Amino acid sequence: MNSLLIAIWLMLPAYLPNNFAVLFGGGRPLDLGRRFRDGRRILGDGKTFRGTIAGILGGVGMGLVLNEIASARPDLGLPGFGAGYELFLVLIGLSLGAMIGDVVASFFKRRMGMERGAALFLVDQLDFVLGSWALLLVLAPGWFSQNFSSEIIFIVLIVTPILHRITNIIGYRIRAKKEPW
Ligand code: CTP
Ligand code: MG
């Protein structure tokens, strides 16, 4: 199977949480409206409980479906996401890690004085990738090193900003998202 497809396949449970958060987010913000000692919001209204939970569920659900496809069709040569307890750790790593990466980026955006929704080039496009890899290294390092060769890592870093840009333009056009980035 083609490396580009494998890279996207492996990252889908980390990509989907963003889209689910946009579609289902809103309501009570994660920071409960509180301010940091610099007087600005800790995270801002763009990070909500509903969006975060929907994102994690969406990513885990996507991973379970992909894992079934991989094991039902070994002829396709697509990697699985582990078995038993490891499957759980891998999918939590990818989806919760993606949401944590996005939240951490928002924290730093607020500290830089940027309002909710302000664009921060490359951070907006890769925060969730780095978050998912960081959590995977903690929760399922064996699976991570087996599947993420330096070639796959390189492809993900190049392709994700492009895919992110395309989906956000679509999200903006269908009025699911306030900004096209
Ligand atoms: N969202 C959410 N909860 C999250 C992440 C995203 O509810 N944990 C929803 C919010 O409605 C948010 C939208 O998805 O406005 C877009 O997400 P994102 O671009 O990450 O947030 P921004 O609104 O741009 O805020 P920030 O400047 O903090 O990135
Ligand atoms: Mg944004």
Side-chain angles (χ1 to χ4, degrees):
M1 182 56 79
N2 171 309
S3 299
L4 174 62
L5 281 180
I6 290 181
I8 295 173
W9 172 271
L10 287 170
M11 288 306 287
L12 275 173
Y15 288 158
L16 206 68
N18 273 302
N19 308 307
F20 265 57
V22 170
L23 292 174
F24 302 109
R28 187 196 287 253
L30 284 177
D31 66 7
L32 302 171
R34 283 197 290 249
R35 287 169 191 281
F36 198 63
R37 48 172 179 262
D38 56 12
R40 298 181 180 275
R41 288 285 296 277
I42 301 175
L43 301 173
D45 286 330
K47 306 293 119 144
T48 68
F49 281 94
R50 235 165 55 202
T52 308
I53 291 165
I56 295 165
L57 293 178
V60 170
M62 170 61 98
L64 291 175
V65 171
L66 298 182
N67 202 49
E68 286 307 309
I69 296 173
S71 61
R73 293 290 307 275
D75 54 304
L76 294 177
L78 288 163
F81 294 84
Y85 190 51
E86 189 182 44
L87 171 62
F88 171 76
L89 292 178
V90 166
L91 297 184
I92 287 293
L94 285 164
S95 59
L96 173 64
M99 292 277 85
I100 292 175
D102 185 50
V103 163
V104 169
S106 288
F107 176 80
F108 286 109
K109 283 168 79 174
R110 298 301 89 81
R111 304 291 72 74
M112 292 164 69
M114 301 172 74
E115 298 296 333
R116 185 215 69 80
L120 188 54
F121 183 60
L122 283 184
V123 173
D124 287 332
Q125 286 77 31
L126 290 173
D127 52 11
F128 55 99
V129 170
L130 299 182
S132 67
W133 289 348
L135 194 55
L136 274 176
L137 280 173
V138 176
L139 296 181
W143 182 88
F144 181 80
S145 56
Q146 261 167 37
N147 288 281
F148 283 88
S149 61
S150 41
E151 185 199 9
I152 295 288
I153 288 178
F154 179 76
I155 294 173
V156 169
L157 291 175
I158 300 298
V159 165
T160 305
I162 300 168
L163 290 176
H164 186 264
R165 188 88 189 104
I166 295 170
T167 50
N168 282 346
I169 290 172
I170 295 170
Y172 177 70
R173 293 258 172 89
I174 65 169
R175 294 169 205 270
K177 212 172 179 302
K178 290 198 184 79
E179 298 89 11
W181 48 78

